[in-house]
Amino acid sequence: MSWKFGTAAWCVLGSGVAVSPFIWRRALDKWNPAVILAASCFVTLLGALLPAFFASAPSIILSTALFGSGMFIAPSSVAVLVHRTLESNQLAKGITLFTVVFSFGQAIGPIGAGWIADSAGLTRSLYFGAALLAVASGLALIGLGSVSARMQD
């Protein structure tokens, strides 16, 4: 595809990131943070898988829109989770821990995805990323009960 299409795809991704707080605002206010985390991981998963199944310009544009709108809500949902479940004297430690974990993923994710793409192909890399997002979504839902209990305390 052309560099113009690539530029358009990156613009759609960036626009998705820019509008994501508006898309997820009601969920961030009302939903359990574990559900928000699971949902944002699932939306990002859909964005990652779409081009693996449909390698066309429209699917790539939709993929970038989904990926952009879901990827940075996960840290927001974790921040909401920390604020709703930890004592005020523990907030800084909680946010610090989750920031380090997120940063670690942001650092090794592109390296791992690139290695998989170089050695096994882009489609396998997309499948692997989607699998990790599915695990993250599932783990968030596994913790749903304990998050609900802590929020009621």
Side-chain angles (χ1 to χ4, degrees):
M1 297 191 179
S2 73
W3 68 268
K4 291 177 185 177
F5 178 79
T7 301
W10 280 106
C11 288
V12 169
L13 180 99
S15 297
V17 171
V19 301
S20 64
F22 302 103
I23 295 170
W24 292 89
R25 180 183 307 168
R26 177 168 277 155
L28 287 166
D29 288 341
K30 306 275 186 206
W31 294 5
N32 183 305
V35 173
I36 301 165
L37 180 58
S40 67
C41 288
F42 186 75
V43 168
T44 307
L45 175 154
L46 292 176
L49 273 184
L50 202 56
F53 291 111
F54 308 102
S56 66
S59 71
I60 290 171
I61 294 298
L62 181 58
S63 167
T64 59
L66 288 169
F67 202 90
S69 66
M71 72 177 176
F72 282 121
I73 293 304
S76 299
S77 66
V78 169
V80 171
L81 172 77
V82 168
H83 282 279
R84 290 185 186 171
T85 59
L86 294 180
E87 300 292 329
S88 61
N89 62 344
Q90 296 294 312
L91 292 178
K93 288 180 183 178
I95 293 293
T96 300
L97 172 67
F98 285 113
T99 300
V100 168
V101 170
F102 183 76
S103 299
F104 182 71
Q106 289 292 100
I108 66 166
I111 294 169
W115 181 80
I116 292 168
D118 288 345
S119 62
L122 179 59
T123 301
R124 293 250 172 115
S125 181
L126 292 170
Y127 288 152
F128 182 73
L132 289 178
L133 288 161
V135 168
S137 190
L139 288 173
L141 291 176
I142 288 171
L144 181 62
S146 62
V147 169
S148 296
R150 285 186 177 263
M151 287 173 48
Q152 292 175 357
D153 288 345

